[in-house]
Each structure stands twice: as C-alpha cells, then as structure tokens.
Amino acid sequence: MKVRINTPTLGPKLSHNICLHPAKVRHLPRKKRNRMGTSHGKPIDLTPQEKKLLRDSWHDCMESRVDFSIAVFLRVFQQVDGTQDLFEQLASMSIAEVKTHPKMKAHCVRVSAIIGTALDELEDQTVLIEMFRNIARTHYRLGNHLGEFHYTKFGDIFLSCVKDYDQNYSLKRRDAWVKAFGGVKSTLVTTRHELE
C-alpha cells in the first residue's frame, strides 16, 4: 500500500508530494532507509486523553481557520527576523498587505490542513513521523535551513495563537500541545541535522 502525503513549505513552492512504498523502504540499505525517515524521529507518545484534548482544541481553533492560520504566520514574520523573506512574493510587503495576499491565505490553509491530518494520524506514528521529516527535508531543499531556534519560535507563537482562538482553552490543553510539539520539533531538528 502506498502512502501519499502533501506537505507545506516555507518557500516558493507551496507543497511537495512524496510516495512511499513500505516494501521498497524495507529493502533499502540502512543509511538510505534512515534518510527516508523510517528509523528516525521521536514518537509523539500521547495518552488517549491528550489526543482528545488536542483534537478538541484544534476543532475550536478551526472555527476561524483562515484567521487563526494567518495570525500564526503574521506573528512569525513580526517576531522572527528574515522569515517573511522566505516567501519571495511577500518579502517586500507590509504586514497589512501580507494579511490579505492570496498566496499567504493559500499557504495558511495548507498548513492548517497538514496539522489537521497530523492530528488524525496520531495513532500511526510511522506516517506521522514521516510527514514531519518530509517537511524538514522540503525546507532544506528549498534553501530554507530552519533550525531548532526557528521551530521553537514557531511552536511558541503557535501556542500563543491557540490560547487566543481556542474558546475552551485550558492548562490541560496547553500541556498536550507542548508535549506533542516537543516530539514534532525533535523530528524536525533531527532530520535537519541528518541533511547537513
């Protein structure tokens, strides 16, 4: 069975497709297999209650899907130097212009779709880890060499937006997001180091 994954990117291309065939991956040399992400990546070890907290929180945030997603990226652009420049068409625009630009909206919708898919796949760690490994690889290929600093900042900003948009926000929901993002960040950073 083949698994097709669409992933977001911070760069000129908005998505990248990969197609993996588990039988072929198993027969690759170990080094090649590791680079494809079947052996690396920290499992996101969540309890059933934590998974429900995440999904419920995300559902509440998605009541304003576009506004939420745009808020995340606008805060990233404002707080992390150079990130807006990763979007060639947006680089010279004001924040007000970026907020309504079709490319920004399209990218934000894709990112929210990926997060939703990740939350749907919490029970399948193989797919989940490969999704985030592919995001790191795609960023790297496009020249967007994002590291631990960038992923940490993104996580902090994402959580601040969750707090603002989740109408039923709680410390338990926050802790579930922190735990989940810790696993995601570990996978992203590990994959980046492998590519250097």
Side-chain angles (χ1 to χ4, degrees):
M1 181 174 86
K2 292 184 178 181
V3 180
R4 186 167 295 282
I5 305 167
N6 292 319
T7 62
T9 65
L10 288 176
K13 296 179 181 178
L14 290 177
S15 67
H16 180 75
N17 292 330
I18 63 168
C19 193
L20 300 176
H21 194 294
K24 291 181 180 178
V25 172
R26 277 196 302 272
H27 296 294
L28 290 171
R30 179 175 297 277
K31 184 175 181 181
K32 177 75 170 179
R33 199 174 354 148
N34 288 348
R35 287 180 69 84
M36 291 190 70
T38 57
S39 301
H40 289 288
K42 177 182 178 182
I44 302 172
D45 189 21
L46 300 166
T47 67
Q49 181 186 21
E50 287 168 333
K51 292 175 185 177
K52 184 176 188 310
L53 287 166
L54 289 173
R55 288 166 175 155
D56 289 347
S57 176
W58 186 243
H59 178 269
D60 288 348
C61 290
M62 290 299 94
E63 293 292 327
S64 305
R65 180 175 67 161
V66 175
D67 289 344
F68 170 85
S69 302
I70 288 178
V72 172
F73 279 93
L74 291 183
R75 292 182 194 185
V76 168
F77 293 165
Q78 291 171 316
Q79 296 178 35
V80 187
D81 290 342
T83 50
Q84 186 174 333
D85 295 336
L86 299 175
F87 295 79
E88 186 177 347
Q89 294 178 348
L90 308 178
S92 61
M93 293 184 180
S94 69
I95 288 296
E97 291 172 320
V98 169
K99 187 174 182 179
T100 59
H101 196 280
K103 179 172 179 139
M104 186 75 265
K105 288 186 177 180
H107 183 73
C108 289
V109 168
R110 281 190 172 89
V111 171
S112 64
I114 287 298
I115 295 171
T117 300
L119 291 172
D120 289 341
E121 297 297 332
L122 289 174
E123 282 74 30
D124 191 336
Q125 294 288 308
T126 302
V127 171
L128 190 62
I129 289 171
E130 182 57 31
M131 284 176 65
F132 289 108
R133 284 179 60 79
N134 192 57
I135 290 170
R137 287 191 296 256
T138 302
H139 285 164
Y140 191 87
R141 280 195 301 270
L142 292 171
N144 303 333
H145 295 181
L146 306 180
E148 184 168 2
F149 168 78
H150 299 94
Y151 292 127
T152 298
K153 289 294 291 183
F154 183 88
D156 292 343
I157 291 166
F158 179 86
L159 289 174
S160 74
C161 289
V162 169
K163 183 177 181 180
D164 291 344
Y165 282 84
D166 180 351
Q167 298 300 313
N168 296 294
Y169 181 81
S170 67
L171 293 180
K172 286 184 177 181
R173 286 188 174 189
R174 181 203 65 187
D175 291 346
W177 280 114
V178 169
K179 184 176 179 181
F181 195 76
V184 170
K185 185 175 75 170
S186 174
T187 298
L188 293 168
V189 172
T190 298
T191 305
R192 158 68 194 276
H193 290 328
E194 290 171 7
L195 295 169
E196 293 178 329

